Amino acid sequence: MSEAVQTLEGWFALHDFRRIDWRHWIQASREERRNMREAFHTLVAQWENIEAEKRGSTALYTVVGQKADLVMIHLRPTLEDLEATERAFDLSAFAAVTQPAYSYVSVVELSNYTTKPGTDPSDDPAVQSRLKPILPKTAHVCFYPMNKRREGVDNWYMLDMEQRRTMMRSHGEIGRRYAGKVTQIITGSVGLDDWEWGVTLFADDPITFKKLVYEMRFDEVSARFGEFGRFFVGNRLSRDRIDVWLPE
Ligand code: 76R
């Protein structure tokens, strides 16, 4: 058996994608629309408090294209907290105009591929803050789930640790060339959802997503082993933009 990679887990993640029933929104009375919008503002204010108290983090983006209209990315300490967050949304007046579009459950993950052998990364405060990150407030987000292939000679899980470590080093080097332009949050979902990881990328320039993901396609670990789910891309839904996005 190949040596398993060691992972550290942090906050749990829910990527909660919703569709908005805009017809329903338009047909509602002005007062109903105000109530629904107010209900959404109330939730957002609660999520901001949780983030200020470092009990989790939430990022809101509107989704471009027909796969969804809104994504709420929640990080929380436990699965119970995530479920409560989802339920509070479902019970709010705003949820009446939303329908589920997609969801992804995972947990923030760091692996020991690039840590020095013999050191304990969990002692490092920088590692602790990467496990419980405050989500960036960039203009754009990109999310997709992915697997590492298990087919014939391209079976990631049959490679020995050293081969995987070498490939992950090269992967990390490409990634680091985008330092300051992209923040990646890798969440592991083996045993939790349909794919093995969720990849969430944050950037102010959406072209950076295209350049980074394309460059990685030529790198061995993505070229041979990467299998990808659907891609979602979004624009930041700031507090100020909510009233424009949900017009009276
Ligand atoms: O050196 C370090 O501290 C971190 C190195 C690193 C690891 C271990 C790293 C760096 N990643 C790691 C793990 Mn990544 N990453 C992806 C994708 O589209 C594709 O082809 C792949 C999707 C992108 C775009 C990306 C970006 N990474 C992982 C894992 C877990 C693998 C495992 O355990 O087997 C996956 C699935 C994955 C996928 N990666 C970086 C980036 C970027 C921008 C970096 C550098 C920034 C950073 O250090 O955080």
Side-chain angles (χ1 to χ4, degrees):
M1 192 186 131
S2 312
E3 179 192 339
V5 63
Q6 301 298 310
T7 54
L8 293 173
E9 281 75 25
W11 278 340
F12 285 89
L14 172 65
H15 291 66
D16 187 341
F17 293 85
R18 306 279 173 146
R19 245 177 225 114
I20 310 295
D21 185 347
W22 291 115
R23 203 160 300 256
H24 185 152
W25 179 263
I26 290 162
Q27 283 165 0
S29 69
R30 177 175 276 237
E31 197 193 338
E32 282 171 321
R33 280 199 292 269
R34 272 201 197 133
N35 285 341
M36 289 191 274
R37 197 162 80 180
E38 221 26 66
F40 189 51
H41 273 296
T42 304
L43 287 170
V44 176
Q46 286 167 4
W47 299 333
E48 286 173 354
N49 270 340
I50 287 172
E51 188 168 287
E53 292 167 7
K54 301 203 161 55
R55 291 186 288 123
S57 182
T58 290
L60 302 175
Y61 286 85
T62 52
V63 176
V64 187
Q66 295 179 356
K67 291 171 191 151
D69 294 305
L70 169 70
V71 57
M72 298 169 278
I73 307 172
H74 300 297
L75 302 183
R76 295 293 183 274
T78 68
L79 275 182
E80 286 83 354
D81 294 332
L82 278 185
E83 189 191 343
T85 308
E86 184 183 2
R87 192 173 144 73
F89 180 88
D90 283 331
L91 289 173
S92 76
F94 178 57
V97 288
T98 73
Q99 287 153 5
Y102 186 61
S103 70
Y104 207 77
V105 177
S106 53
V107 60
V108 178
E109 176 188 293
L110 292 179
S111 61
N112 72 345
Y113 283 128
T114 54
T115 52
K116 271 197 217 96
T119 59
D120 183 355
S122 57
D123 294 340
D124 184 345
V127 166
Q128 284 305 322
S129 74
R130 285 180 63 187
L131 289 170
K132 298 170 183 179
I134 298 303
L135 294 168
K137 306 290 178 273
T138 54
H140 304 282
V141 75
C142 170
F143 171 80
Y144 52 100
M146 69 174 288
N147 287 339
K148 291 269 171 75
R149 184 166 297 129
R150 280 180 279 132
E151 257 173 45
V153 288
D154 293 338
N155 187 331
W156 178 256
Y157 297 91
M158 299 285 280
L159 300 181
D160 63 43
M161 182 64 180
E162 230 10 77
Q163 288 172 294
R164 280 176 282 134
R165 200 190 286 280
T166 306
M167 282 191 246
M168 286 312 293
R169 252 188 222 128
S170 163
H171 167 85
E173 277 164 24
I174 295 179
R176 270 190 295 279
R177 276 188 238 139
Y178 290 80
K181 288 189 195 157
V182 176
T183 305
Q184 70 143 8
I185 298 196
I186 293 298
T187 52
S189 45
V190 173
L192 299 175
D193 214 321
D194 299 343
W195 297 77
E196 294 171 348
W197 291 276
V199 178
T200 312
L201 306 172
F202 294 88
D204 283 322
D205 179 358
I207 293 300
T208 321
F209 299 139
K210 182 174 182 293
K211 299 255 188 247
L212 168 61
V213 173
Y214 196 39
E215 189 174 349
M216 282 188 175
R217 290 292 158 98
F218 293 96
D219 188 52
E220 191 171 3
V221 69
S222 297
R224 280 179 67 196
F225 301 102
E227 290 179 348
F228 303 94
R230 303 182 91 192
F231 281 67
F232 295 85
V233 68
N235 302 328
R236 182 167 180 236
L237 184 60
S238 62
R239 254 315 183 77
D240 295 349
R241 198 159 80 84
I242 291 175
D243 293 352
V244 181
W245 182 61
L246 296 174
E248 275 186 22

